[in-house]
Amino acid sequence: RRADERLAHILAADAGPRAQSSAPPRRHRQRRTRGLLLVAAALVLALGISLSGLFGTAGTAYATWTAAPTPQPAAEQERLAQQCRDQLSHGAPQDANENGIPTAADLQASDLVVADSRGDWSYVLLSGGNGLEATCLVEEDDRRLFGIFPRTSSAVGSYGFMTDLPRPAPQQIIGTGLMSMATAEGSYWSTEGHVGSDVVAVTVLTATGTRVEATVQGDRFAAWWPQREDIDTGGGLDSVTYIVTLADGTELPPADYGAIAPHGEE
């Protein structure tokens, strides 16, 4: 009830940005979609200046973004992860609730999975107990508040529980998320998932034809990209495809998110 009331309040506020997400399997759809869309809307409502900063004449995310990720030292990745935990925890429930939405304590106890850094912004993927998965796009501003405290910002984030995920076959990837959010200046996209033991690279082919080299770390992959075009340009989420490269150099045919989604056969 509390989550539904909060979502209704956010929608009534007409914050402006519009989000799309590829729904997880039917058995989890209500829980995951509610958590993802609710939190995305809440962060955009609270941090709309950061989201608009992705684009515009001085949009650092668009200006500094690279198709290949920039490796970061372990300490820097963990700093980005804590920034993500803190940002998401501000709007998360403080106590357990019947709606299945992770609490602030759940988020603070999560582990870093991938930090996909491209230019001034990084896409952070966290995981935790009971199938918790959380993401956010973060930036650290070199300017300091009152000359002392570092400024930090986050454009958008999501969290929810993903349970009963199948293990990918050696030459397979399984997606756990594909999301896009639009503003008047363009759109921000992100995706993540699991990789099989024979997979060494994942390339995301965007709606505009850009080839994005995903970060593959352990058995996970993640990538994000900004684009000037709206979400629906070129077919929306359905236009995003994934190209898998295997250890022997074989490149598998492109597949859309529906083909890599968990329980896709259902």
Side-chain angles (χ1 to χ4, degrees):
R1 178 184 55 81
R2 183 165 53 186
D4 290 338
E5 290 174 352
R6 186 176 177 192
L7 179 58
H9 173 74
I10 291 169
L11 295 177
D14 190 20
R18 177 167 53 92
Q20 286 189 7
S21 64
S22 185
R26 285 192 297 271
R27 69 184 70 172
H28 311 304
R29 181 170 297 159
Q30 181 177 8
R31 173 178 296 179
R32 173 65 170 171
T33 302
R34 174 181 294 170
L36 187 151
L37 292 181
L38 170 63
V39 178
L43 283 178
V44 169
L45 184 64
L47 302 166
I49 294 176
S50 295
L51 186 61
S52 64
L54 287 167
F55 302 97
T57 56
T60 58
Y62 191 90
T64 65
W65 181 87
T66 58
T70 302
Q72 297 284 3
E76 174 66 7
Q77 292 187 46
E78 181 52 39
R79 185 193 63 78
L80 292 168
Q82 189 56 50
Q83 184 177 328
C84 180
R85 295 183 191 105
D86 293 342
Q87 291 283 6
L88 295 180
S89 295
H90 287 319
Q94 298 302 308
D95 302 310
N97 62 80
E98 69 278 8
N99 292 298
I101 298 176
T103 65
D106 293 329
L107 293 165
Q108 287 294 337
S110 63
D111 297 318
L112 171 65
V113 178
V114 174
D116 183 74
S117 299
R118 300 168 191 268
D120 292 342
W121 296 70
S122 298
Y123 183 68
V124 177
L125 173 62
L126 307 171
S127 69
N130 301 315
L132 169 67
E133 189 157 300
T135 70
C136 50
L137 186 68
V138 297
E139 176 201 32
E140 182 170 9
D141 195 324
D142 290 335
R143 295 170 298 170
R144 290 178 173 265
L145 187 64
F146 306 122
I148 301 173
F149 304 106
R151 294 174 180 266
T152 58
S153 58
S154 175
V156 64
S158 67
Y159 52 76
F161 291 107
M162 294 286 286
T163 58
D164 300 327
L165 288 173
R167 182 184 298 273
Q171 300 183 357
Q172 181 187 25
I173 64 173
I174 292 179
T176 55
L178 170 60
M179 185 176 75
S180 178
M181 180 166 290
T183 72
E185 300 167 325
S187 51
Y188 146 77
W189 303 66
S190 62
T191 189
E192 66 276 343
H194 297 259
V195 302
S197 58
D198 289 346
V199 176
V200 296
V202 177
T203 301
V204 182
L205 187 62
T206 75
T208 59
T210 301
R211 292 174 66 97
V212 182
E213 180 185 329
T215 294
V216 178
Q217 190 166 306
D219 63 349
R220 301 300 302 269
F221 77 88
W224 74 274
W225 62 99
Q227 63 186 42
R228 296 290 188 184
E229 293 77 10
D230 185 74
I231 294 174
D232 296 324
T233 299
L237 295 176
D238 292 338
S239 65
V240 177
T241 55
Y242 302 77
I243 302 172
V244 172
T245 302
L246 304 178
D248 63 3
T250 301
E251 192 174 90
L252 302 184
D256 63 17
Y257 187 81
I260 70 167
H263 313 295
E265 71 279 2
E266 299 176 5

PDB file of all heavy atoms in Angstrom, residues 43-55:
ATOM      1  N   LEU A  43      14.036   8.922  -7.998  1.00  0.00           N
ATOM      2  CA  LEU A  43      15.330   9.558  -8.125  1.00  0.00           C
ATOM      3  C   LEU A  43      15.308  10.678  -9.155  1.00  0.00           C
ATOM      4  O   LEU A  43      15.963  11.688  -8.984  1.00  0.00           O
ATOM      5  CB  LEU A  43      16.392   8.520  -8.497  1.00  0.00           C
ATOM      6  CG  LEU A  43      16.858   7.641  -7.345  1.00  0.00           C
ATOM      7  CD1 LEU A  43      17.873   6.635  -7.834  1.00  0.00           C
ATOM      8  CD2 LEU A  43      17.478   8.484  -6.240  1.00  0.00           C
ATOM      9  N   VAL A  44      14.565  10.473 -10.218  1.00  0.00           N
ATOM     10  CA  VAL A  44      14.473  11.538 -11.212  1.00  0.00           C
ATOM     11  C   VAL A  44      13.761  12.736 -10.620  1.00  0.00           C
ATOM     12  O   VAL A  44      14.124  13.889 -10.852  1.00  0.00           O
ATOM     13  CB  VAL A  44      13.746  11.037 -12.469  1.00  0.00           C
ATOM     14  CG1 VAL A  44      13.405  12.205 -13.384  1.00  0.00           C
ATOM     15  CG2 VAL A  44      14.627  10.054 -13.213  1.00  0.00           C
ATOM     16  N   LEU A  45      12.744  12.496  -9.820  1.00  0.00           N
ATOM     17  CA  LEU A  45      12.021  13.586  -9.188  1.00  0.00           C
ATOM     18  C   LEU A  45      12.943  14.366  -8.248  1.00  0.00           C
ATOM     19  O   LEU A  45      12.922  15.592  -8.222  1.00  0.00           O
ATOM     20  CB  LEU A  45      10.827  13.025  -8.404  1.00  0.00           C
ATOM     21  CG  LEU A  45       9.885  14.046  -7.754  1.00  0.00           C
ATOM     22  CD1 LEU A  45       9.202  14.882  -8.825  1.00  0.00           C
ATOM     23  CD2 LEU A  45       8.855  13.337  -6.900  1.00  0.00           C
ATOM     24  N   ALA A  46      13.778  13.655  -7.502  1.00  0.00           N
ATOM     25  CA  ALA A  46      14.637  14.314  -6.526  1.00  0.00           C
ATOM     26  C   ALA A  46      15.928  14.846  -7.133  1.00  0.00           C
ATOM     27  O   ALA A  46      16.507  15.798  -6.633  1.00  0.00           O
ATOM     28  CB  ALA A  46      14.988  13.335  -5.402  1.00  0.00           C
ATOM     29  N   LEU A  47      16.391  14.213  -8.223  1.00  0.00           N
ATOM     30  CA  LEU A  47      17.697  14.553  -8.780  1.00  0.00           C
ATOM     31  C   LEU A  47      17.590  14.907 -10.259  1.00  0.00           C
ATOM     32  O   LEU A  47      18.408  14.520 -11.076  1.00  0.00           O
ATOM     33  CB  LEU A  47      18.666  13.376  -8.587  1.00  0.00           C
ATOM     34  CG  LEU A  47      18.864  12.960  -7.123  1.00  0.00           C
ATOM     35  CD1 LEU A  47      19.538  11.600  -7.046  1.00  0.00           C
ATOM     36  CD2 LEU A  47      19.687  13.981  -6.387  1.00  0.00           C
ATOM     37  N   GLY A  48      16.544  15.623 -10.615  1.00  0.00           N
ATOM     38  CA  GLY A  48      16.307  15.958 -12.008  1.00  0.00           C
ATOM     39  C   GLY A  48      17.407  16.790 -12.628  1.00  0.00           C
ATOM     40  O   GLY A  48      17.665  16.699 -13.821  1.00  0.00           O
ATOM     41  N   ILE A  49      18.094  17.618 -11.830  1.00  0.00           N
ATOM     42  CA  ILE A  49      19.177  18.433 -12.366  1.00  0.00           C
ATOM     43  C   ILE A  49      20.303  17.536 -12.871  1.00  0.00           C
ATOM     44  O   ILE A  49      20.894  17.783 -13.913  1.00  0.00           O
ATOM     45  CB  ILE A  49      19.706  19.410 -11.299  1.00  0.00           C
ATOM     46  CG1 ILE A  49      18.615  20.424 -10.944  1.00  0.00           C
ATOM     47  CG2 ILE A  49      20.947  20.133 -11.785  1.00  0.00           C
ATOM     48  CD1 ILE A  49      18.990  21.371  -9.829  1.00  0.00           C
ATOM     49  N   SER A  50      20.573  16.467 -12.143  1.00  0.00           N
ATOM     50  CA  SER A  50      21.615  15.552 -12.573  1.00  0.00           C
ATOM     51  C   SER A  50      21.238  14.881 -13.877  1.00  0.00           C
ATOM     52  O   SER A  50      22.067  14.683 -14.750  1.00  0.00           O
ATOM     53  CB  SER A  50      21.860  14.485 -11.496  1.00  0.00           C
ATOM     54  OG  SER A  50      22.369  15.073 -10.324  1.00  0.00           O
ATOM     55  N   LEU A  51      19.969  14.498 -14.022  1.00  0.00           N
ATOM     56  CA  LEU A  51      19.546  13.830 -15.235  1.00  0.00           C
ATOM     57  C   LEU A  51      19.666  14.752 -16.432  1.00  0.00           C
ATOM     58  O   LEU A  51      20.151  14.363 -17.486  1.00  0.00           O
ATOM     59  CB  LEU A  51      18.099  13.340 -15.097  1.00  0.00           C
ATOM     60  CG  LEU A  51      17.594  12.492 -16.271  1.00  0.00           C
ATOM     61  CD1 LEU A  51      18.418  11.238 -16.421  1.00  0.00           C
ATOM     62  CD2 LEU A  51      16.132  12.152 -16.078  1.00  0.00           C
ATOM     63  N   SER A  52      19.260  16.016 -16.278  1.00  0.00           N
ATOM     64  CA  SER A  52      19.392  16.939 -17.383  1.00  0.00           C
ATOM     65  C   SER A  52      20.861  17.196 -17.692  1.00  0.00           C
ATOM     66  O   SER A  52      21.213  17.550 -18.810  1.00  0.00           O
ATOM     67  CB  SER A  52      18.682  18.261 -17.065  1.00  0.00           C
ATOM     68  OG  SER A  52      19.300  18.906 -15.973  1.00  0.00           O
ATOM     69  N   GLY A  53      21.736  17.008 -16.706  1.00  0.00           N
ATOM     70  CA  GLY A  53      23.152  17.200 -16.927  1.00  0.00           C
ATOM     71  C   GLY A  53      23.783  16.150 -17.815  1.00  0.00           C
ATOM     72  O   GLY A  53      24.933  16.289 -18.230  1.00  0.00           O
ATOM     73  N   LEU A  54      23.045  15.082 -18.124  1.00  0.00           N
ATOM     74  CA  LEU A  54      23.557  14.088 -19.048  1.00  0.00           C
ATOM     75  C   LEU A  54      23.736  14.669 -20.439  1.00  0.00           C
ATOM     76  O   LEU A  54      24.592  14.247 -21.207  1.00  0.00           O
ATOM     77  CB  LEU A  54      22.578  12.906 -19.135  1.00  0.00           C
ATOM     78  CG  LEU A  54      22.505  11.963 -17.944  1.00  0.00           C
ATOM     79  CD1 LEU A  54      21.292  11.070 -18.062  1.00  0.00           C
ATOM     80  CD2 LEU A  54      23.765  11.136 -17.857  1.00  0.00           C
ATOM     81  N   PHE A  55      22.891  15.643 -20.788  1.00  0.00           N
ATOM     82  CA  PHE A  55      22.868  16.176 -22.141  1.00  0.00           C
ATOM     83  C   PHE A  55      23.081  17.689 -22.100  1.00  0.00           C
ATOM     84  O   PHE A  55      23.856  18.184 -21.306  1.00  0.00           O
ATOM     85  CB  PHE A  55      21.547  15.805 -22.819  1.00  0.00           C
ATOM     86  CG  PHE A  55      21.324  14.323 -22.866  1.00  0.00           C
ATOM     87  CD1 PHE A  55      20.556  13.682 -21.918  1.00  0.00           C
ATOM     88  CD2 PHE A  55      21.932  13.559 -23.842  1.00  0.00           C
ATOM     89  CE1 PHE A  55      20.383  12.308 -21.959  1.00  0.00           C
ATOM     90  CE2 PHE A  55      21.767  12.182 -23.891  1.00  0.00           C
ATOM     91  CZ  PHE A  55      20.988  11.558 -22.942  1.00  0.00           C
TER      92      PHE A  55
END
